[in-house]
Amino acid sequence: MSTPGPSSPPSAAPSRPLDWRVRFGALALVWGFSFLFIKVGTEGFAPLQVTFGRLFFGTAVLAVAVLVKRDRLPRGTRVWGHLTVAALLLNALPFSLFAYAELTIPSTLAGICNATTPLWGMLLSLVALSEDRPNRVRAVGLGIGFIGVLTVLGAWQGFSGLDVTGTSLALLAALSYAVGWIYVRRTLSGTGASNLSLAGSQVGLATLQLAVVTPLFTSMPTSVEPLPLLAVIALGALGTGYAMLLQYGIVAEVGPTTAAMVTYFIPVIATAAGVALLDEGLTWNTPVGAVVVLAGAALTQTRTSGRASRPTTVPTAPPPADRRPATRV
């Protein structure tokens, strides 16, 4: 091997990834701003078009990552069948429900409804996951979370001024995430494929689902405004594709429990973004209720000693903390 001469530049040191805390903050920001992107996107496109664009650009980012890493796609008809159901429950359905919800409710409320996912997850675990039977603390957390939801919705005022349809759609989206997590946990553990390939395949299948459904219920827009288009691109490329890659690295470095804590920052960022950038109104019960919801959700994630979580795949939306992704994210 020849020795480089005096004028030869020194060999470049291998680049080190950003500290996981920086990437964690970026992930929380991207997912928190996703609700703002949805709101802006629906100003220029139909909700299903926003969802299709989100999935399309998210798939493009993940496909590039799979190609760069030379990852292998999942194999087996059974695995692809389960991925198709997961794509519906974790991507196509909740993404569409949030887009429709934000036609009539502020992005701040949508972000807070998203934070109820762990509460739905614990309720569903009562019948679906015998290893996740709630202890006393988790039951208290569920009750506190329910009180928080009622506070956000202003139950003592008879839900005055609340758009029932939009709020219900956002809560159904959170429920869909919880159902999807349980389904994935029971069907896609131990497939042998990496979480990156599973996630990319899942988002790709969701894109195909929306490609079939969207033309049936929408027509091509007569004009395209730059701002809504940029919002949809950011929602897909950043909020779905890049966010998945960020979570992939964070879980691999610090574990799924720490990574799942991002769930509790998302409504805070969504609320701040909606108020500051969209001039959305904010009454006292919204932030107070959000804090109560998050406190209850955090309590529902306490686990008794000796209970181990089965591994599962990475979601393409903020994960409920009791459905912890394995290091295959």
Side-chain angles (χ1 to χ4, degrees):
M1 180 181 295
S2 60
T3 304
S7 60
S8 300
S11 58
S15 59
R16 299 180 62 185
L18 290 173
D19 184 87
W20 73 268
R21 296 171 187 84
V22 177
R23 287 177 280 134
F24 182 94
L27 180 61
L29 282 171
V30 168
W31 269 339
F33 268 84
S34 291
F35 297 96
L36 180 146
F37 293 147
I38 293 172
K39 173 65 77 172
V40 176
T42 55
E43 294 176 357
F45 300 98
L48 288 178
Q49 293 169 344
V50 171
T51 302
F52 174 72
R54 174 181 189 174
L55 291 167
F56 177 83
F57 290 109
T59 299
V61 172
L62 291 171
V64 170
V66 170
L67 289 174
V68 169
K69 292 181 176 291
R70 298 182 179 180
D71 214 340
R72 188 184 68 183
L73 291 178
R75 295 183 178 181
T77 304
R78 180 175 174 274
V79 172
W80 281 97
H82 290 315
L83 281 172
T84 301
V85 177
L88 174 65
L89 295 174
L90 289 173
N91 303 116
L93 180 59
F95 289 1
S96 299
L97 288 173
F98 272 124
Y100 274 107
E102 291 198 40
L103 290 176
T104 55
I105 67 172
S107 64
T108 54
L109 180 56
I112 293 169
C113 288
N114 181 75
T116 64
T117 301
L119 304 177
W120 290 115
M122 203 199 84
L123 273 176
L124 293 171
S125 71
L126 293 174
V127 295
L129 296 170
S130 59
E131 71 270 26
D132 274 343
R133 300 296 184 190
N135 55 29
R136 184 177 302 175
V137 174
R138 298 180 75 190
V140 170
L142 181 62
I144 291 174
F146 181 68
I147 292 172
V149 172
L150 294 179
T151 303
V152 170
L153 302 182
W156 65 94
Q157 301 172 349
F159 306 109
S160 176
L162 178 72
D163 185 89
V164 176
T165 300
T167 305
S168 299
L169 291 176
L171 290 172
L172 282 174
L175 173 61
S176 182
Y177 284 142
V179 173
W181 263 105
I182 291 177
Y183 180 84
V184 164
R185 187 175 180 181
R186 296 177 69 94
T187 61
L188 286 172
S189 297
T191 61
S194 73
N195 264 18
L196 178 59
S197 67
L198 287 171
S201 301
Q202 178 183 304
V203 178
L205 288 169
T207 304
L208 292 177
Q209 292 170 356
L210 263 293
V212 173
V213 172
T214 302
L216 300 178
F217 296 95
T218 65
S219 57
M220 291 293 293
T222 56
S223 62
V224 176
E225 297 293 332
L227 192 58
L229 177 60
L230 289 174
V232 172
I233 293 173
L235 180 63
L238 296 177
T240 302
Y242 182 59
M244 292 286 296
L245 298 179
L246 282 176
Q247 193 190 38
Y248 182 96
I250 293 171
V251 172
E253 185 171 344
V254 299
T257 303
T258 300
M261 292 300 292
V262 72
T263 304
Y264 304 111
F265 292 87
I266 293 168
V268 177
I269 295 170
T271 299
V275 172
L277 300 178
L278 297 179
D279 198 26
E280 294 180 342
L282 189 67
T283 55
W284 69 268
N285 59 297
T286 300
V288 170
V291 170
V292 177
V293 167
L294 294 178
L299 286 176
T300 65
Q301 308 319 305
T302 58
R303 312 180 78 84
T304 58
S305 59
R307 285 185 180 180
S309 295
R310 292 169 55 191
T312 185
T313 57
V314 182
T316 54
D322 66 330
R323 303 288 172 262
R324 299 171 183 170
T327 53
R328 297 182 297 159
V329 175

